[in-house]
Amino acid sequence: MTRSFRPDLAVAAFVLACSVLVTQLGGLGREVIDPDESTFILMGADVARGHLPFVTQFDLKPPMIFFLIGGTLAAFGKSIAAVRLLGDALLLGTALITFLLTRRVTSDWAALGGALLYVCFASLELGQPTYSELPALFFGMGGLLALACSPVTLGRAALAGLLMSLAVLSRSNLYPLPLVSGLLLLGVAVRKDPQVKMAAWLTFGLGGLIPVALLIFAYARAGQLAVLKLAMIDVPLVYAQQVGIAEAVLDNLQQLYVITTMQPMIVAPFVAAAATGWTVIGARLLYPASQVERWTLGLITLAALAVVFSLVTSGAVYPHYWLQLLPLLAIACAAALDFAASLRFGRWMAVSLVALPLGSAFVRTMPQALQVATAQYHQAEPFDIATAARHIERSGVTNPTVWAWRKQLIGWYLDSPQLSKAGVQPENIARPAIAGPLAAHGYISKDEVSRLLDMEPDFVVTDAAGIGSSWMRATGRPTDAWLAARYRLDQRFGDVLVYRRINALSQSR
């Protein structure tokens, strides 16, 4: 590495693309990484059939991920690989945006190192599925990059508003990000800061209204505004009240400790670099080298605080929620790398902070990536749920009804209608924070579990690990006795259990 060579966008894109390829390719050989992704596929498939999200089936996410997956399935057909590659493309795009934003306040090498640390953290299980966090990150970081470009023109502010609006339409808990950004633009307008045009706050707001207006227009034209309000406002407000801020902070720290003990070579350097980097950023904010630096670092800091607030007030705690914060932490990591490189012998420390996590991520993910690349991962019957679906199709039962307690992806393979509009995420019908407001608005019945038990579907699909049976038992219904009296275990495919109704068995014979 010489001082004369700097990684431009093309070099950074190549390095980051190779890193994403190695750390994410292995995921193509897995049918289910997280059940949430299976739910997104079911919702996206419904969009691909021409339906607006939430009208015929419900999941507790804003509609952007469903539109993106629906478009992907419409273009490439029934392909899990296409859905995963969509997520990989969004991950790579976010890493590139992080590089471009970071190099405004650090050296290019440090910016690339920070982006690589983000890719390393995303190589963990929490970053493998195509989650709704991925488009939220892509749009949100894109909006920050538009605002970081100096001066902030009216057009850039409008673009930032539009992108941040799309981020919120991907993850509704991110609403503090555009709110803080808009208030910042308004504040500098009052101060008449030359870095920002006076009316930037106004065009920012107008840009943000464009996606919202288009969404409202689409639902109004379909006569489904009440459904949009239910999905975007009523249910999320109830859901967000489940976990208090103090409990959320404690849960996040506990989960971070667990994941650090599991993957210390990836998580520990990232956390240490990020903590050091925020100290460096704080010092540089006190003594900025220029107005541009102060604006950019202030914007990044406020954005990070807004995202942290959104995470501890979202109503639940899951490690994949951290994806929303990782690019901003990666910028802090880059600031730490820049600082370390300025010290005597510090350059090797900076290189080690990136090389160790990157090497660990490669060692962990490369075997599966190679198996997928050489097609050794795929057998004659590659996926258990797909095999179970083919078994049901050959069962002789005409238009079989299927209730998935788990492994809900089987409905996608079968193109079968959901027995409950809230059943794309099976346990949602038993979650008071979700089923309660849905039932109160007449979207589902007041006792959806009992309704489906009374229906006695032809097949019940669940998992051998017992997760599906567990949430069913938690409802207080005698589900084990119900299943034993009416069904027989028809087939098992790996972790997938297929139960067949006894009457359906006799009818097919």
Side-chain angles (χ1 to χ4, degrees), residues 303 397 487:
V397 179
Y487 292 81

Side-chain angles (χ1 to χ4, degrees), residues 181-338:
S181 301
L183 290 174
L184 179 62
L185 291 173
L186 181 59
V188 296
V190 172
R191 292 181 52 197
K192 299 182 180 179
D193 191 317
Q195 298 296 321
V196 181
K197 295 294 182 181
M198 282 286 292
W201 64 272
L202 179 60
T203 59
F204 176 85
L206 292 174
L209 287 175
I210 292 174
V212 177
L214 291 174
L215 193 66
I216 292 174
F217 173 77
Y219 278 83
R221 187 178 180 186
Q224 298 292 342
L225 277 178
V227 169
L228 179 64
K229 176 179 176 292
L230 174 64
M232 295 292 293
I233 299 176
D234 298 329
V235 180
L237 283 177
V238 176
Y239 188 85
Q241 298 172 18
Q242 294 181 107
V243 177
I245 292 177
E247 184 181 353
V249 171
L250 182 60
D251 285 351
N252 274 297
L253 291 176
Q254 290 174 336
Q255 293 194 41
L256 179 61
Y257 171 77
V258 171
I259 291 180
T260 303
T261 59
M262 294 171 62
Q263 297 293 335
M265 296 298 291
I266 294 177
V267 180
F270 186 92
V271 172
T276 303
W278 283 120
T279 303
V280 173
I281 289 174
R284 289 175 63 181
L285 276 171
L286 291 175
Y287 304 101
S290 65
Q291 290 291 94
V292 172
E293 179 176 279
R294 183 177 67 175
W295 166 257
T296 305
L297 289 177
L299 179 67
I300 291 168
T301 302
L302 286 175
L305 292 173
V307 174
V308 168
F309 177 79
S310 77
L311 291 179
V312 298
T313 58
S314 60
V317 177
Y318 297 104
H320 64 84
Y321 285 10
W322 302 342
L323 288 169
Q324 300 167 78
L325 187 60
L326 289 184
L328 295 166
L329 295 180
I331 296 175
C333 290
L337 296 175
D338 223 12

Side-chain angles (χ1 to χ4, degrees), residues 29-32 80 379 381-392 407 409-410 413 461-462 491-498:
R30 300 167 65 184
E31 187 176 32
V32 176
I80 290 178
Q379 308 299 321
E381 300 287 352
F383 292 146
D384 293 333
I385 305 177
T387 306
R390 285 194 290 271
H391 170 74
I392 291 175
K407 310 296 183 181
L409 202 60
I410 197 161
Y413 289 123
V461 174
T462 188
Q491 286 289 341
R492 174 174 177 171
F493 304 97
D495 189 44
V496 183
L497 303 181
V498 179

Side-chain angles (χ1 to χ4, degrees), residues 352-413:
S352 299
L353 277 172
V354 178
L356 289 177
L358 192 63
S360 179
F362 278 14
V363 168
R364 178 175 169 273
T365 59
M366 190 172 288
Q368 279 191 334
L370 291 174
Q371 287 177 329
V372 170
T374 57
Q376 293 176 6
Y377 202 103
H378 299 281
Q379 308 299 321
E381 300 287 352
F383 292 146
D384 293 333
I385 305 177
T387 306
R390 285 194 290 271
H391 170 74
I392 291 175
E393 287 175 334
R394 298 165 183 163
S395 66
V397 179
T398 304
N399 299 322
T401 52
V402 181
W403 184 9
W405 294 359
R406 194 76 170 171
K407 310 296 183 181
Q408 64 267 34
L409 202 60
I410 197 161
W412 181 54
Y413 289 123

Side-chain angles (χ1 to χ4, degrees), residues 29-206:
R30 300 167 65 184
E31 187 176 32
V32 176
I33 302 176
D34 187 280
D36 282 358
E37 184 189 50
S38 298
T39 296
F40 299 161
I41 291 174
L42 287 167
M43 292 290 290
D46 193 51
V47 171
R49 287 191 288 267
H51 298 142
L52 287 170
F54 318 122
V55 172
T56 62
Q57 52 192 39
F58 176 86
D59 183 52
L60 186 66
K61 291 293 182 293
M64 188 53 59
I65 185 66
F66 310 139
F67 284 129
L68 290 172
I69 291 180
T72 300
L73 296 177
F76 298 101
K78 192 172 288 186
S79 169
I80 290 178
V83 174
R84 296 272 165 77
L85 290 172
L86 166 67
D88 296 343
L90 291 168
L91 175 64
L92 175 59
T94 302
L96 284 171
I97 293 171
T98 302
F99 167 76
L100 291 173
L101 179 56
T102 306
R103 72 174 184 173
R104 297 183 62 80
V105 290
T106 70
S107 68
D108 289 358
W109 281 113
L112 180 57
L116 283 171
L117 285 175
Y118 163 58
V119 173
C120 289
F121 209 114
S123 73
L124 302 177
E125 192 77 359
L126 60 86
Q128 292 294 317
T130 299
Y131 283 126
S132 59
E133 284 86 354
L134 294 178
L137 284 171
F138 179 75
F139 294 128
M141 292 300 291
L144 287 176
L145 179 60
L147 289 181
C149 293
S150 182
V152 181
T153 63
L154 300 184
R156 287 171 180 166
L159 176 62
L162 186 148
L163 290 173
M164 288 191 184
S165 179
L166 292 175
V168 175
L169 291 176
S170 301
R171 290 286 309 183
S172 57
N173 67 284
L174 280 179
Y175 73 89
L177 180 59
L179 180 62
V180 166
S181 301
L183 290 174
L184 179 62
L185 291 173
L186 181 59
V188 296
V190 172
R191 292 181 52 197
K192 299 182 180 179
D193 191 317
Q195 298 296 321
V196 181
K197 295 294 182 181
M198 282 286 292
W201 64 272
L202 179 60
T203 59
F204 176 85
L206 292 174

